[in-house]
């Protein structure tokens, strides 16, 4: 009978009863030299000195490393899990000596070497991967032998990512970067060219501007991808929490005082994040909990990226959402756009003006895009309701007995033909919501083409209403008495005068508000 100190868990494949053909090792609290490594080396984890690997290293960004797909998959096989009596402890993944395995708050597995200040999510329990990482570490440290004095070793971390080479059986490629916590920066001990740091942002020339993107990579790397990758080994301080709260508060004030703010969050979002941060406390390094670092990660990253995209600290800093940091280029409007805009009652012009405060310098301000889409969805719902009512009205209009004499099947009266056109105009007002919500259309199609698409529903429903009124007026003026025509004409004229008066008042008030805001 097994004692409490020798409990064992055996996991074996269903296809191999009795323990033969086991695909997974035994795990338990028993000192088993072939399994847990407490009384001897684990054959799965030992590094064979005769293993020779071709390993190359290259500088990489945290955001580039996180895009590489994992090459680990769980076997799609059924297993029998056999528990020995009194089993209460379960040994976790056992990395090589000097390493500890850590579980991410989301569940991912990574490894930390506190003595060497190395972090990796490469599964170094496999001897070849561990050997490749050790070779890469030796090559990297040989490059970093002349470290500046302000980069204390205690504040540095090295992240290494081991991936199989693109060519089969050609070794491993190891991306890496260093982290300097006292500078909130990532760096490499060699000269690198990383144009992806700048991306599509034009006009980045000063080192103080690039610093924002480096710090964004630090947080996006160090928090959502260094701290998000390795949050348990990071320390959240009062300074970080205060800085993040002040950033959110200043953004909320900007929303209240600036008509076109460059802030990132909507008021509801900022309030939510501030309430969450009020419960976050400073933490020390803990292998069992990394939630505090995981919480503040994306917020710090977005704040740094916001500074970079809006040229904070530069002469041409963007202070409002409609302000370009580049010299305005002459804008030309094609005859096609002018003609289509006129046919759609200039509704594309309105959407173009709105999009110009959302899409600036190839950058989309999502804090303005989201309410714009919500308003657009609401407008199109109203258009859909109007189109339904108009369709019903046209059907009822066509059912009037005196509208068609019914003697010539191939002939339809002018009111009927115009009503048919009204029905066709009101039947094409809906567009796919993906056109509204997908920001890629804004960058792929361009601002004016997208404005034309957004103006189509309003333009068509307007034509549908006009055509129905035209059909009704033709019917009223066709084969009717002079008395009827006079009263219909007077009513139509009075309606036009009222409409022009209301439109003129609204237009003057809008112009006054725009001029006053300027």
């Amino acid at each position: 009978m097994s004692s409490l100190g020798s409990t064992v868990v055996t996991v074996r494949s269903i296809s191999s009863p009795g323990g033969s053909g086991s695909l997974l090792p035994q795990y338990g609290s028993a000192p088993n030299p072939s399994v847990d490594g407490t009384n001897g080396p684990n054959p799965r984890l030992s590094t064979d000195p005769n293993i020779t690997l071709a390993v190359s290293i290259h500088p990489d960004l945290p955001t580039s490393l996180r895009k590489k797909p994992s090459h680990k998959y769980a076997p799609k096989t059924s297993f029998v899990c056999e528990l020995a009596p009194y089993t209460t402890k379960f040994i976790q993944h056992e990395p090589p000596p000097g390493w500890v395995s850590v579980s991410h708050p989301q569940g991912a597995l990574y490894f930390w070497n506190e003595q060497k200040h190395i972090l990796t999510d490469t599964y170094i329990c496999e001897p070849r991967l561990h050997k490749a990482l050790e070779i890469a570490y030796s090559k990297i440290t040989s490059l970093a032998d002349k470290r500046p004095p302000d980069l204390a070793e205690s504040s540095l971390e090295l992240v290494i990512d081991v991936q199989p080479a693109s060519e089969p059986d050609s070794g491993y490629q190891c991306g890496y970067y260093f982290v300097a916590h006292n500078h909130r920066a990532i760096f490499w001990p060699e000269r690198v060219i990383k144009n992806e740091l700048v991306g599509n942002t034009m006009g980045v020339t000063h080192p103080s501007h690039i610093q924002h993107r480096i710090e964004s990579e630090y947080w996006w790397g160090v928090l959502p991808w260094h701290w998000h990758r390795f949050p348990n080994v990071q320390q959240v301080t009062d300074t970080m929490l205060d800085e993040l709260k002040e950033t959110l508060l200043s953004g909320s004030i900007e929303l209240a005082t600036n008509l076109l703010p460059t802030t990132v969050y909507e008021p509801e979002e900022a309030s939510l994040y501030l309430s969450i941060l009020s419960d976050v406390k400073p933490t020390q390094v803990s292998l069992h909990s990394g939630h505090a670092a995981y919480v503040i990660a994306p917020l710090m990253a977005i704040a740094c990226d916001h500074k970079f995209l809006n040229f904070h600290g530069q002469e041409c800093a963007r202070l409002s959402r409609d302000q370009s940091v580049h010299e305005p280029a002459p804008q030309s409007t094609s005859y096609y756009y002018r003609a289509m805009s006129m046919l759609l009652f200039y509704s594309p012009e309105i959407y173009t003006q709105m999009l110009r405060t959302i899409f600036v310098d190839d950058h989309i301000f999502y804090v303005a895009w989201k309410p714009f889409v919500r308003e657009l969805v609401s407008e199109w719902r109203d258009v859909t309701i109007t189109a339904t009512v108009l369709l019903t009205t046209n059907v009822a209009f066509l059912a009037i007995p005196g509208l068609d004499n019914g003697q010539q099947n191939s002939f339809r009266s002018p009111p009927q033909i115009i009503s048919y056109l009204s029905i066709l105009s009101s039947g094409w007002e809906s567009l796919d919501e993906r056109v509204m919500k997908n920001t890629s259309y804004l960058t792929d199609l361009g601002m004016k083409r997208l404005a034309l698409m957004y103006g189509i529903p309003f333009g068509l429903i307007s034509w549908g209403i006009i055509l129905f009124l035209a059909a009704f007026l033709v019917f009223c003026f066709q084969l009717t008495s002079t008395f009827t025509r006079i009263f219909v004409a007077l009513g139509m004229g009075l309606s036009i005068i009222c409409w022009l008066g209301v439109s003129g008042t609204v237009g003057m008030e809008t112009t006054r508000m725009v001029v006053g805001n300027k």
Side-chain angles (χ1 to χ4, degrees), residues 248-271 321 367-368:
L248 291 170
L249 287 173
S250 63
S252 300
I253 294 299
E254 186 182 2
L255 280 170
T257 57
N258 192 342
L259 289 177
L260 298 172
T262 62
T263 184
V264 178
Y265 303 111
E266 294 184 87
E268 297 80 8
E269 293 177 321
S271 299
R321 204 167 57 232
V367 71

Side-chain angles (χ1 to χ4, degrees), residues 322-369:
D322 61 342
Q323 175 186 346
S324 174
V325 298
H326 307 295
E327 184 178 357
Q331 297 183 357
S332 60
T333 303
S334 65
Y335 290 107
Y336 170 77
Y337 174 82
R338 293 178 184 177
M340 290 299 298
S341 181
M342 183 176 63
L343 289 174
L344 297 174
F345 302 96
Y346 295 100
S347 59
E349 290 289 345
I350 299 175
Y351 290 117
T352 299
Q353 295 300 324
M354 298 174 69
L355 290 173
R356 281 176 180 165
T357 65
I358 298 174
F359 186 62
V360 184
D361 296 336
D362 295 330
H363 170 58
I364 298 174
F365 287 92
Y366 287 94
V367 71
W369 172 259

Side-chain angles (χ1 to χ4, degrees), residues 142-211:
S142 65
L143 294 174
D145 55 351
K146 297 181 179 179
R147 185 176 66 250
D150 62 330
L151 295 177
E153 185 175 356
S154 59
S155 67
L156 300 183
E157 283 179 349
L158 172 62
V159 177
I160 304 177
D161 181 74
V162 181
Q163 296 285 341
S166 54
E167 297 294 332
D169 302 326
S170 58
Y172 294 91
Q173 295 177 343
C174 301
Y176 78 95
Y177 63 89
F178 281 92
V179 176
H181 291 287
N182 55 344
H183 293 281
R184 290 189 180 182
I186 61 170
F187 69 94
W188 302 269
E190 55 182 308
R191 184 179 296 274
V192 297
I193 298 177
K194 292 294 180 183
N195 293 327
E196 56 266 39
L197 277 172
V198 178
N200 296 327
T201 305
M202 308 296 290
V204 180
T205 57
H206 201 274
S208 63
H209 189 192
I210 301 175
Q211 177 188 0

Side-chain angles (χ1 to χ4, degrees), residues 8-79:
V8 175
V9 180
T10 303
V11 183
R12 65 177 186 270
S13 172
I14 288 180
S15 60
S16 53
S20 62
S22 177
L23 297 181
L24 294 179
Q26 295 178 339
Y27 293 88
S29 59
N32 187 333
S34 64
V35 176
D36 60 9
T38 56
N39 284 359
N42 189 329
R44 290 194 309 121
L45 307 180
S46 61
T47 303
D48 188 351
N50 297 322
I51 294 179
T52 57
L53 299 174
V55 177
S56 62
I57 62 173
H58 60 276
D60 220 335
L61 291 170
T63 47
S64 299
L65 291 179
R66 69 176 185 158
K67 294 176 182 177
K68 296 178 180 178
S70 172
H71 58 281
K72 285 295 178 184
Y73 300 97
K76 198 173 183 179
T77 310
S78 298
F79 290 89

Side-chain angles (χ1 to χ4, degrees), residues 94-108:
E94 295 180 46
W99 293 83
V100 292
S101 61
V102 187
S103 294
H104 187 280
Q106 281 188 320

Side-chain angles (χ1 to χ4, degrees), residues 62 110-120 137 140 144 147 151-160 176-182 185-189 218 221-223 225-235 285:
Y110 64 92
F111 301 92
W112 181 39
N113 191 314
E114 184 177 8
Q115 182 179 4
K116 294 182 178 180
H117 303 280
I118 307 176
L119 285 159
T120 184
Y137 174 72
I140 295 169
R147 185 176 66 250
L151 295 177
E153 185 175 356
S154 59
S155 67
L156 300 183
E157 283 179 349
L158 172 62
V159 177
I160 304 177
Y176 78 95
Y177 63 89
F178 281 92
V179 176
H181 291 287
N182 55 344
I186 61 170
F187 69 94
W188 302 269
Y218 168 82
V222 176
L223 284 176
W225 198 237
H226 185 86
W227 280 30
H228 193 150
R229 262 173 114 185
F230 318 113
N232 309 65
V233 298
Q234 309 301 335
Q235 180 180 359
V285 174

